[in-house]
Amino acid sequence: MRARSFTAWVTALFALLAGLVGVPQATAAASAVDAGTAAQAASGTFRNPLNTGPDPYMTYANGAYRLTTTQGDSIKMWSSPSLSTLLDADPVTVWKDTDASRNQHIWAAEFYRFDSRWYMYYTADDGTDDHHRLYVLESDADNPAGPYHFKAKLTPPNHTNDFAIDPGILQHNGKLYLAYSGINAYQHNGLNIAPMSNPYTVSGNAVALNGAGGCSEVREGPEFLNRNGRTWMTYSTCDTGKPDYQVWMMSLADGADPLVPGNWTQHSGAVFSRQDARGVYGPGHHAFFRSPDGTQDWIIYHAKTTSDFTYTNRTTRAQKIGWNADGSPDLGTPLALGATQDLPSGDPGSGNYWINDDGRSSGGGTVTYSGTWNSGTGCAAQCFWSDDHWSDRAGNTATFTFTGTRIALLSVKDTGNGIAAVSIDGGAEQRVDFYGALRTGETLQYLSPRLSDGAHTLKVRVTGERDSSSGAAFVSVDRAEVYTD
């Protein structure tokens, strides 16, 4: 029996009973559909996650996708010519501050190009959350990856000493506006918009918007789309630690003044929210980007694979959006982590492919096992193709053979998981702890060093050792992602 956690045992038991009595296994079926019913051409597809961080912002510029996610003590940027290789891209630190008033809890950076310069907007504090304020950097040249220099603090006159996070820029009727989440009459984290005279100067008081949201505590992360005669502002609601973190929307007619609250029309209900059958919880804090050829609109967002209240396990994901007959954006429903999707139009691809724990592969890869391993579909939507392998027997191994330049291992972290020894091509072993205080699925456990292009082996050895907090020493094998860039 799978001695990982009580929840895992219950899930496996339900799956078994469902099979016996003919009850549809919705979560497993949804995950299998998302993964695809057959291997697709690797060069034209990708799978989430794109990054292990939360609060993503991305744009396509200068021949590459440019991504930032919250790192806490700095601003890092990942760049890649293909969406399929963002997870294995090496980050560049574009900003690290020495000013003690603003060098901690650096969150939610976004960057925009104005007049051949890039402006990086973000929030930071001095170590106290309520001291979060908004700041902007300016690039030294026309390069989104910097270098940057500090430009200004962004402070509406009527909120000079107030909490503020999640800056976003609205471009409307030829003018700029700073939208953000901060103290107002409606929430501690409420929606505010202030005028700007240039990309680094707030020129007037902020106006509060009373956005609906399905729960009372948060309205944050405002983002904008303009099409069909309207500007659509989407924003996240509920605490991001909750599984019910979700996206709501309001809109503004072209030509209308965004500083007049009555000009905004509230959309009824969430437009992007949890999908339990796909193992997606808390989808939100998002942004929009265009495909490389400019013909498609995409959403990038963070979400979790656990329904527990937690700020951990928020990973960055992307999927294409559409447009409704009434002109409003159709954000769709969040896809399962690991779902195979077509790359954005104009994306050159890379030849990446996956290897499943049962030996199936969309490219030239295999996995073999020594010793006795358990296998099954009890992890349902939390795992790729709804299945995985696991063992706690010291000395048992799983060996992946692949052709490429890098390999990533994604699998379940759990309260009953232990420590694996991972090695490449018979080299030195690296200890990897598969334990997690909360059960989470398709977690990035290991990313190999960059390798010469060619045939390689990766061995995962069960050590039988475990963290003192873990209840057992299981090692999980689920999905390997092989990179050929």
Side-chain angles (χ1 to χ4, degrees):
M1 179 171 292
R2 186 177 204 159
R4 290 193 188 166
S5 68
F6 178 74
T7 54
W9 179 82
V10 170
T11 303
L13 179 60
F14 176 79
L16 175 62
L17 292 174
L20 291 175
V21 300
V23 177
Q25 297 182 47
T27 55
S31 182
V33 169
D34 283 339
T37 56
Q40 299 186 38
S43 62
T45 59
F46 78 100
R47 286 153 296 281
N48 289 315
L50 304 181
N51 189 273
T52 58
D55 306 334
Y57 184 84
M58 188 162 71
T59 193
Y60 185 85
N62 299 359
Y65 298 91
R66 313 289 181 160
L67 169 69
T68 55
T69 62
T70 289
Q71 300 299 300
D73 64 348
S74 63
I75 299 175
K76 289 183 170 63
M77 182 175 289
W78 288 260
S79 299
S80 172
S82 175
L83 207 62
S84 60
T85 50
L86 266 173
L87 186 63
D88 84 317
D90 296 318
V92 173
T93 298
V94 299
W95 184 248
K96 197 169 180 68
D97 209 329
T98 58
D99 188 321
S101 70
R102 58 173 193 252
N103 65 357
Q104 298 185 57
H105 301 154
I106 299 172
W107 297 346
E110 300 193 359
F111 47 101
Y112 303 78
R113 185 178 184 269
F114 301 113
D115 298 326
S116 300
R117 289 293 182 269
W118 290 84
Y119 293 88
M120 181 78 68
Y121 301 85
Y122 66 101
T123 182
D125 67 24
D126 58 2
T128 300
D129 181 50
D130 247 12
H131 294 170
H132 265 106
R133 302 293 185 266
L134 305 179
Y135 304 97
V136 60
L137 312 173
E138 184 183 63
S139 67
D140 295 345
D142 190 0
N143 188 344
Y148 286 88
H149 57 269
F150 185 81
K151 190 65 176 179
K153 183 178 181 179
L154 300 172
T155 308
N158 59 335
H159 287 292
T160 56
N161 294 305
D162 291 339
F163 171 88
I165 61 171
D166 295 355
I169 302 300
L170 167 62
Q171 303 176 61
H172 185 73
N173 294 339
K175 298 179 180 179
L176 298 180
Y177 299 85
L178 173 69
Y180 66 97
S181 177
I183 291 175
N184 61 28
Y186 308 110
Q187 287 97 18
H188 181 275
N189 293 40
L191 296 173
N192 298 285
I193 297 183
M196 303 182 76
S197 57
N198 57 46
Y200 48 87
T201 305
V202 176
S203 57
N205 287 338
V207 172
L209 298 180
N210 187 14
C215 55
S216 61
E217 69 269 24
V218 169
R219 309 288 184 267
E220 63 186 18
E223 295 294 333
F224 301 95
L225 288 166
N226 183 268
R227 186 165 170 173
N228 304 320
R230 300 190 73 81
T231 288
W232 308 88
M233 179 173 69
T234 52
Y235 56 93
S236 300
T237 76
C238 301
D239 191 306
T240 190
K242 291 183 175 180
D244 291 314
Y245 193 61
Q246 58 195 253
V247 178
W248 285 57
M249 181 171 70
M250 59 176 67
S251 67
L252 176 76
D254 287 357
D257 186 350
L259 299 178
V260 177
N263 288 342
W264 290 91
T265 300
Q266 180 70 55
H267 183 281
S268 178
V271 293
F272 202 64
S273 58
R274 63 187 284 176
Q275 295 292 312
D276 293 31
R278 291 175 169 177
V280 181
Y281 303 95
H285 201 111
H286 62 293
F288 300 104
F289 66 97
R290 305 298 298 273
S291 60
D293 66 3
T295 64
Q296 297 172 341
D297 295 298
W298 286 68
I299 185 173
I300 189 165
Y301 61 98
H302 77 228
K304 300 179 292 188
T305 59
T306 176
S307 60
D308 290 330
F309 185 102
T310 179
Y311 297 109
T312 63
N313 186 239
R314 295 177 295 164
T315 59
T316 289
R317 308 149 187 224
Q319 60 190 74
K320 188 172 71 170
I321 67 171
W323 293 88
N324 295 311
D326 67 357
S328 63
D330 178 6
L331 305 191
T333 56
L335 298 173
L337 195 64
T340 296
Q341 303 179 63
D342 290 336
L343 284 165
S345 182
D347 187 306
S350 68
N352 290 6
Y353 62 93
W354 51 260
I355 306 170
N356 191 47
D357 64 284
D358 67 357
R360 285 176 290 179
S361 176
S362 62
T366 63
V367 60
T368 57
Y369 299 92
S370 72
T372 301
W373 289 70
N374 302 295
S375 64
T377 57
C379 61
Q382 282 198 320
C383 289
F384 188 64
W385 287 95
S386 305
D387 59 4
D388 68 341
H389 279 63
W390 65 97
S391 175
D392 65 347
R393 301 294 181 89
N396 283 0
T397 63
T399 302
F400 290 87
T401 60
F402 63 97
T403 300
T405 58
R406 208 169 197 184
I407 188 168
L409 295 181
L410 298 100
S411 66
V412 171
K413 278 188 178 290
D414 205 353
T415 56
N417 281 8
I419 296 170
V422 180
S423 60
I424 294 283
D425 296 333
E429 290 185 330
Q430 176 181 336
R431 290 166 63 84
V432 179
D433 195 348
F434 284 51
Y435 167 77
L438 297 173
R439 177 182 170 85
T440 57
E442 284 199 71
T443 304
L444 179 63
Q445 306 276 23
Y446 171 81
L447 181 62
S448 78
R450 295 198 178 277
L451 307 167
S452 60
D453 190 11
H456 301 279
T457 61
L458 178 142
K459 181 175 289 186
V460 181
R461 180 175 64 84
V462 180
T463 66
E465 301 169 356
R466 59 185 174 87
D467 183 278
S468 60
S469 300
S470 182
F474 285 91
V475 169
S476 172
V477 175
D478 182 19
R479 167 165 66 111
E481 193 77 15
V482 178
Y483 298 92
T484 60
D485 57 313

